[in-house]
Amino acid sequence: KNLLTGGERPKGLLYKLSVGLCNMHVSGALVSIFSIMIFAQLTAVTCTDELNLGAICGSGIVGILAGAAGISKAGTALWIACDVGQWPVLHNLVRLIRKVDQVSGNKITDLIRGMGSDDGGNSTFGRRLHESLEEESPRVAELKAKYDSPADVWKDLGF
């Protein structure tokens, strides 16, 4: 039952999606908590003068739990992308947004591209994918001058 209204819970698209998203968040929190436990146990092994087999064993068991929580999170994400994301309602919504974007001269695309950026909408969210050859760093230019090919780099490294 719905805790707020006392009535039956809805079982439609939004309900299923909210349950899936909730599972992803809970699973993600469990992965984080288990990871902290693993590092704490391994700290007990590496920061002491004697071998602590209990901590090693415990970190392995908690590692399995962290892995299971990670699989739960990834499985739910796959379900959302491959099942919920393929429902006709969502496909029609995406088609509608694409048409509005085309009619508006790509205003929606420009808005999404420029979210949170101060660079006139050329943001790649902190990544350097948009750098051109003219913006090449001095370090890259130095390496290109020193080596003719990637094979030369590997040869210089001893391979």
Side-chain angles (χ1 to χ4, degrees), residues 10 19 21 32 35 45-46 52 62 64 92 94 107-108 111 119-120 122 133 141 143-144 147:
V19 168
L21 292 173
S32 299
S35 296
V45 173
T46 57
N52 186 341
V62 176
I64 292 170
N92 291 337
V94 169
K107 296 290 184 193
I108 295 172
L111 176 69
D119 61 359
N122 294 321
L133 293 175
L143 290 171
K144 283 184 175 181
Y147 301 105

Side-chain angles (χ1 to χ4, degrees), residues 96-98 100-101 104-113:
L96 175 66
I97 292 171
R98 281 185 185 150
V100 170
D101 192 36
S104 69
N106 296 326
K107 296 290 184 193
I108 295 172
T109 301
D110 293 341
L111 176 69
I112 292 170
R113 185 181 303 135

